[in-house]
Amino acid sequence: MKIAIIGCGNMGMAFARAFLKFDLVKKEDFLLVEKSEDRMESLNSFQPGVITGIIGPQIGEYDLIILSVKPQDFTSVSASLRDVVKPNQVVLSIMAGVTIEIIQNALDHKAVIRAMPNTPAMLGMGITAYSASPEVDINQLRKIENLINATGRSVFLEDEDQLNAVTALSGSGPAYFFYVVKAMIEAGKQMGFEESVAALLVKQTMLGSFHLINTADKSLDELIKAVASKGGTTEAALRQFEAGKLDETLKNGIIAAQLRSTELSKG
């Protein structure tokens, strides 16, 4: 498969590196389109394929076009891309909040997949949810799924509207996780630890806890109960969290992110 990536920021390059790492695409079958001169210099040192600063007729030679530009840049990109995209090509968008219908109308092109990855994709540990227009056939969809899985795991959603919730839950999710980790490290510093020691304690605790969630044959409530002995230190912390309605605050924040994603998708 020959792939063109338009927009070579962190996420676009995460996809490119993953495809090359697992030998899913040959370097000579990559076209990278990037308007930033500084980023083009770093791309030249990486040498992932053919690099250009313009959207030209050569785009039509590629099987898959990945749109990895900022949503606010799509209008200018689509004006150029509309003239060169071919009916047999598939367009895969990883732009937040831009619907399949908007892309179809802007490009006058029907075969569109919309995906929502998250930043751990840069380590090959991401989760990407995606939806497709009916014009994308099953063979094309399987090939795209195979490519996406190189960045971690994926889930197909028949209802595209659910991607707004995905954006709020897993797309923005790493920031929530980092927020909690930061708060725990700050608490460690207040208790007298050097920042490096507090960070080590918290990060290793998070890593070990993640593996417990994945491997232990227990529910989250059971895992919490196993740590929180009656009248102990963990129970004291959990009572404070409940008094401050921490769970409600987190849930309300995620729902707010979903509402904002829905607003953005409506333009």
Side-chain angles (χ1 to χ4, degrees):
M1 181 175 274
K2 298 181 69 174
I3 298 176
I5 299 180
I6 301 176
C8 300
N10 289 334
M11 200 57 68
M13 289 312 298
F15 274 61
R17 288 189 174 94
F19 300 163
L20 291 171
K21 177 182 177 182
F22 293 101
D23 201 26
L24 296 173
V25 183
K26 296 177 180 178
K27 283 190 175 184
E28 58 266 29
D29 290 333
F30 253 132
L31 175 68
L32 303 180
V33 183
E34 176 54 56
K35 67 177 182 179
S36 166
E37 292 184 7
D38 290 341
R39 199 168 290 132
M40 280 186 72
E41 284 186 21
S42 64
L43 288 176
N44 281 318
S45 63
F46 175 47
Q47 293 183 333
V50 180
I51 302 166
T52 181
I54 61 171
I55 296 172
Q58 74 269 42
I59 291 279
E61 301 170 9
Y62 291 79
D63 304 300
L64 174 67
I65 300 171
I66 298 178
L67 289 174
S68 182
V69 298
K70 294 177 181 178
Q72 58 267 33
D73 293 336
F74 177 60
T75 300
S76 60
V77 167
S78 63
S80 300
L81 187 57
R82 180 187 180 100
D83 294 331
V84 295
V85 66
K86 299 287 178 64
N88 62 310
Q89 293 177 298
V90 176
V91 174
L92 168 62
S93 167
I94 56 175
M95 299 182 295
V98 183
T99 66
I100 289 174
E101 184 179 11
I102 289 173
I103 297 167
Q104 288 176 321
N105 291 337
L107 299 181
D108 191 21
H109 184 78
K110 294 301 182 183
V112 176
I113 296 174
R114 177 185 167 198
M116 185 65 237
N118 61 7
T119 52
M122 292 187 285
L123 300 175
M125 299 183 70
I127 179 69
T128 300
Y130 65 101
S131 292
S133 66
E135 291 80 8
V136 180
D137 68 44
I138 189 65
N139 289 327
Q140 290 172 322
L141 201 59
R142 284 174 178 166
K143 287 179 181 178
I144 304 305
E145 181 181 45
N146 191 41
L147 289 168
I148 291 173
N149 284 341
T151 66
R153 301 183 68 178
S154 67
V155 57
F156 175 74
L157 301 175
E158 290 188 10
D159 182 1
E160 183 195 353
D161 288 342
Q162 287 187 309
L163 285 173
N164 294 319
V166 170
T167 301
L169 193 61
S170 60
S172 300
Y176 316 149
F177 181 83
F178 303 149
Y179 189 91
V180 171
V181 169
K182 180 182 177 184
M184 291 178 68
I185 291 172
E186 289 299 319
K189 288 164 64 178
Q190 286 185 30
M191 291 186 290
F193 291 112
E194 293 290 330
E195 183 171 355
S196 59
V197 175
L200 175 62
L201 288 167
V202 173
K203 287 190 281 188
Q204 187 61 33
T205 297
M206 288 292 186
L207 179 63
S209 300
F210 160 75
H211 286 293
L212 271 178
I213 291 172
N214 261 8
T215 60
D217 189 21
K218 294 181 179 179
S219 68
L220 289 172
D221 284 336
E222 289 172 327
L223 288 171
I224 292 170
K225 189 176 179 180
V227 182
S229 56
K230 193 168 181 62
T233 57
T234 307
E235 187 178 68
L238 293 175
R239 281 179 179 170
Q240 187 66 30
F241 296 160
E242 289 171 2
K245 298 184 177 179
L246 178 58
D247 60 339
E248 289 298 319
T249 299
L250 286 170
K251 286 186 284 187
N252 288 339
I254 294 167
I255 291 169
Q258 179 194 16
L259 293 173
R260 180 57 180 153
S261 180
T262 302
E263 289 172 3
L264 291 171
S265 69
K266 291 179 180 177

